[in-house]
Amino acid sequence: MEFWKYALLCSLFVGLIAPGLAKPADSKDQSPDDDAYVNDDGDEYNNAYDDEENTSVDKSLNTEYNSVALEPVLELQETEVEVKPGEQARVVCRAKNLSKSTVLMWYFGDNLVSMGTNLLSSNDRIHLDPNNVAILIIDKVQQSDEGYYTCKILPQELTMKTKLTVSRSPTVRILDNGRDVSGGSMTYREGDKITLQCRPSGNPEPTVTWSSQGVRLERVNGVHVDQGKLVIERAEHHHARVYQCLADNSIGKPAHESVTINIHYTPKVTAHHHEVNTGEGYDAELSCNFKSDPAGRSTWLRDLAPLPEGGKYRVTQEAHGHHNKTTLLVRKVQKSDLGMYQCQVENRLGRGASNVSLIYEPEPAHFDGYELQTAHLVLLNWTVRSVQPLSEVLLYYQKSSDKQWTSVKPVGQNEHKDHSGVWLIQHRVQLSPGTWHARVKSRNTEGWSKYSESQIINVPMNSTETSGSWTLNTGFPSNLATILVASLLFCVRWT
């Protein structure tokens, strides 16, 4: 019998706590209908523009409702109305207690529009509400209708003003120190501070966005936007581009203007290859790329002396806008031709230069990427230029946390079938998950190359490996599962 008593006690316990675990139904407070506002006098006020009956003018406007001689009263002294072009505007004189003894007059600015029921305006788009002279109606609103409309009540000399504002689609101008440069071109020097203002107009006030080549200027290095102003603190050659300002206020189409910025700077020169491999009796080409505005003239030097044109050397220059290339051809290379050469470019603002070495050893390897394979195997690809056959290529790699480099020979080493002197190198290594660094050097019959630039290799965890703790998923909320388990333990304890 004791067992059944405790079983009954457990059932009652679970039955008592189970209802408290149920999620309460959503409930919302009910509020009375607040579509209309009722004042202390019992009058209802709705939007004055909903229909002809729902205006701000009291029924006492008709004399039959104003049997008692009450003085006219204005509810407002001044108000504003905003409409879009082409819409109808209703300007309401918020007056009470009008009678036959009062006269309501409408003015637009200083011009009298109506007196009582008599319309005096020659504008056929303006008329009075046929049932209420306290409502002035303007059809197909135009920009010229914008301004102040005044209703005047005589003989009490009461006046109420309504400012009518007509929404306007945006326009925009770009200013440089107050000068309109919209659609134009401006030239600055490297290092100058540039400030361009995007000045919009429209109603409502448009928002302004700056961009360049489809990219918001917040993402362009060295450029920031401050309250519609484009600011470049220190102009550099990469700031030379077209900038566009867009103004939008959701009325009509957005407006936009652009300005082209040109930056004059000293030439920027980079070598195509800082080391160029060649062989005895070969012709060798040394190339530099450069940018220059204004245009620059290139010269090749050796031992700080310009190389003579013709015979041993030939210099060519290709121009593509501000992106140019200059090439030095060294004919029938001899060992005495090896060494350092310099390509120099000069314009009226200054000069830039870069060095190129002519060598017999292999050029530093160029990294062509890597491929992640199964079991943490990584296949690395390199390109080495050498007209002489390669005798050895070594891959050096280390984990970011290690100090020692490990070397390994390639699994593949083949000369490119279409380009003599170009070798395709492959290394396959097994790397544990983490960040690794890899570099290569190669050797031909003339000696070892320099190390290639160190490359970063990221080896992720296998997708099948997971971390974290095991979790029981019962399909119940965690607090419910906890309570049920506690209930069962209670029952077992006492049975």
Side-chain angles (χ1 to χ4, degrees), residues 144-162:
S144 58
D145 299 322
E146 192 172 74
Y148 282 94
Y149 291 80
T150 304
C151 70
K152 188 173 184 180
I153 299 172
L154 299 176
Q156 289 80 10
E157 295 287 341
L158 300 175
T159 58
M160 173 186 168
K161 286 187 176 183
T162 299

Side-chain angles (χ1 to χ4, degrees), residues 127-147:
H127 58 91
L128 297 170
D129 187 304
N131 299 316
N132 192 341
V133 297
I135 300 178
L136 185 68
I137 299 175
I138 307 168
D139 294 324
K140 298 180 180 178
V141 168
Q142 300 175 3
Q143 211 67 51
S144 58
D145 299 322
E146 192 172 74

Side-chain angles (χ1 to χ4, degrees), residues 142 157 181 197 280 286 368 379 382 391 460:
Q142 300 175 3
E157 295 287 341
V181 294
Q197 182 178 11
E280 191 84 13
L286 289 66
D368 294 326
L379 183 66
W382 311 81
S391 57

Side-chain angles (χ1 to χ4, degrees), residues 82-85 143 146 165-169 202-204 249 251:
E82 184 175 325
V83 293
K84 295 179 181 180
Q143 211 67 51
E146 192 172 74
T165 302
V166 182
S167 299
R168 299 193 307 275
S169 57
N203 186 40
N249 64 355
I251 304 295

Side-chain angles (χ1 to χ4, degrees), residues 37 88 259 285 349:
Y37 166 72
Q88 183 188 80
V259 61
E285 285 190 351
L349 299 180

